[in-house]
Amino acid sequence: MARVGPGRARGSRRGRGQRRPPTWEISDSDAEDPAGSEADSEAAARARAPAKERGAAAQALRLLRPEQAVRRLVVRVDPAILEDAGADILMEALGTLGCEYQVEPQCPARSLRWCRVKPDPCPRSVPPEVWAADEQDLLLLLEPEEFLQGVVQLTQICGPTCSVPWVPPESHACPHLAVIGLDAYLWSRQPSTQEMRQPKNPAVACAEPAVGWPEVEEALVLLQLWANLDVLLVASWQELSQHVCAFTKALAQRPFRQHRESQAFSFCVAGRWAAGEQVARDGTGLRGAWRRQITQFNRVSPAVAEAVVSAFPSPRLLQQAYAACSTEQERLALLADLPVEAGEGVRPRRVGPDLSRRIYLFLTTTDPDLLLDLGS
């Protein structure tokens, strides 16, 4: 029977009494090398960084959504607009839309201006120009008589070389004009049958130039082609309110569209494309791209594509071979007899006439609607 040493015996007797609490020893190497813990903390920080960036990007995208962006739009309304009885319809429509409106003096008078309030804090993942205020968007309301006076100035007095009559020359805004009730106003100015029978003073007739729909249409063309200015002709405040709401919704969608257009395509990844073939500047990889292009045909295996690429390493060489053929039938069957490598015990086979015909039509046809695969 093996003897137990004194130290072991004392340890065993001590074990029958109270149990020693567990202890942990710290080695000298751990105490003298804090770089390991720093490296672990840096790795953990790097792991948390992508999640934090993704969260910030998601938050910025939520702020750009049209239903969120419309709440940060402010419509500044000139007090002169509120003097009209129908302005209540416009203010109610803006309140229903969910955007904020402020009554402030504007230049020119009787105009509406849109501006955007940036979120605080502003997400860094969104370019600053996306949050830019839309101070250039302005809608100027004109009375029918005021609009017709400008039409006279455009078409009969100054011609197309003069400035826009209703907009100050120093204005940097891109205004849109709106005229309410122009059609009814023109109809009311038409002379009655009794007035047409009465002779008019020639001096008065020359002093009052006649303005009708032909002159209005001529002015609209001049404003559109020369000044790039749109004119909205509406019959009531209800139609004007619908246009203002539609324009406000379009402005709310603008940041999201700008952000989406500034981003890279979602299906492109950094580096090598998972489903593509990388081609270097010196031409390395072109053969692989040519092989992959052939495999995109239906019912074409990699072995069949390799047989075509081995015989004609590039599309240009294959096109030259087609040009050297004397008949159309010879071109269609040019690739049909190319042997395809097969494993041991597998019967040898060829590319076949069907794929030969499809590749020929693919490289030579000019009909975009031609169906290459007859078996589909």
Side-chain angles (χ1 to χ4, degrees):
M1 183 175 179
R3 295 177 59 188
V4 179
R8 180 71 176 272
R10 286 194 298 268
S12 61
R13 285 194 300 269
R14 205 166 39 239
R16 295 189 187 97
Q18 59 181 2
R19 186 184 299 273
R20 264 200 317 194
T23 58
W24 289 269
E25 295 183 356
I26 301 177
S27 63
D28 296 339
S29 59
D30 293 340
E32 295 176 359
D33 187 16
S37 59
E38 293 180 1
D40 294 341
S41 61
E42 291 177 1
R46 285 194 300 267
R48 289 192 301 266
K52 188 180 296 184
E53 293 176 359
R54 287 194 299 268
Q59 177 64 20
L61 191 60
R62 281 193 294 270
L63 293 175
L64 291 175
R65 293 288 181 184
E67 59 273 11
Q68 297 291 333
V70 73
R71 300 175 183 176
R72 291 189 304 277
L73 278 177
V74 179
V75 184
R76 297 175 179 173
V77 184
D78 188 77
I81 296 178
L82 303 181
E83 297 177 1
D84 197 298
D88 295 339
I89 302 176
L90 175 62
M91 307 309 289
E92 291 177 3
L94 291 176
T96 306
L97 191 61
C99 64
E100 181 184 356
Y101 60 87
Q102 300 175 356
V103 180
E104 298 178 0
Q106 302 296 319
C107 183
R110 289 182 58 83
S111 63
L112 291 87
R113 191 182 298 267
W114 284 262
C115 65
R116 194 183 309 277
V117 179
K118 297 182 181 180
D120 189 20
C122 187
R124 292 181 298 177
S125 59
V126 180
E129 56 270 13
V130 173
W131 302 110
D134 300 307
E135 297 288 349
Q136 303 298 323
D137 296 306
L138 181 145
L139 180 64
L140 176 61
L141 272 64
L142 298 176
E143 295 289 346
E145 185 177 359
E146 183 183 4
F147 176 71
L148 293 179
Q149 291 175 358
V151 168
V152 173
Q153 182 178 351
L154 282 173
T155 58
Q156 298 182 10
I157 299 178
C158 297
T161 56
C162 67
S163 59
V164 179
W166 312 279
V167 181
E170 64 275 5
S171 176
H172 299 287
C174 301
H176 306 272
L177 303 182
V179 186
I180 303 177
L182 179 63
D183 193 11
Y185 182 80
L186 288 176
W187 276 104
S188 65
R189 290 191 57 183
Q190 287 186 353
S192 62
T193 307
Q194 187 176 9
E195 292 177 351
M196 294 177 63
R197 292 175 181 175
Q198 296 178 357
K200 275 191 176 183
N201 188 355
V204 176
C206 294
E208 297 179 358
V211 180
W213 274 112
E215 290 77 19
V216 171
E217 293 176 353
E218 181 182 354
L220 294 179
V221 173
L222 285 175
L223 290 172
Q224 180 66 45
L225 299 181
W226 161 61
N228 194 21
L229 190 64
D230 296 326
V231 181
L232 176 68
L233 303 179
V234 294
S236 62
W237 278 90
Q238 185 69 32
E239 293 184 19
L240 178 67
S241 302
Q242 293 175 359
H243 173 79
V244 170
C245 291
F247 189 76
T248 306
K249 291 179 181 179
L251 289 181
Q253 295 175 359
R254 182 184 296 177
F256 182 75
R257 292 180 178 178
Q258 290 179 347
H259 177 67
R260 184 173 56 185
E261 293 173 359
S262 65
Q263 299 300 309
F265 293 111
S266 59
F267 51 83
C268 291
V269 296
R272 182 174 179 177
W273 184 25
E277 194 73 27
Q278 188 175 9
V279 179
R281 291 180 177 270
D282 58 354
T284 305
L286 286 175
R287 179 169 177 148
W290 170 230
R291 183 189 302 104
R292 184 175 289 272
Q293 190 172 20
I294 297 175
T295 56
Q296 290 179 354
F297 288 93
N298 291 336
R299 304 181 304 279
V300 175
S301 63
V304 174
E306 183 61 34
V308 177
V309 172
S310 299
F312 301 96
S314 68
R316 176 68 64 183
L317 295 176
L318 184 54
Q319 288 177 338
Q320 293 174 359
Y322 286 140
C325 296
S326 56
T327 63
E328 186 76 7
Q329 204 64 28
E330 187 179 354
R331 298 187 187 96
L332 289 171
L334 179 64
L335 305 176
D337 294 331
L338 291 179
V340 178
E341 287 189 12
E344 295 182 1
V346 180
R347 197 165 129 194
R349 57 195 179 105
R350 303 172 302 142
V351 170
D354 179 56
L355 180 59
S356 178
R357 179 192 62 83
R358 286 188 284 162
I359 294 178
Y360 168 69
L361 293 178
F362 173 71
L363 292 178
T364 59
T365 187
T366 57
D367 182 10
D369 299 325
L370 180 64
L371 183 62
L372 300 180
D373 192 356
L374 297 179
S376 59

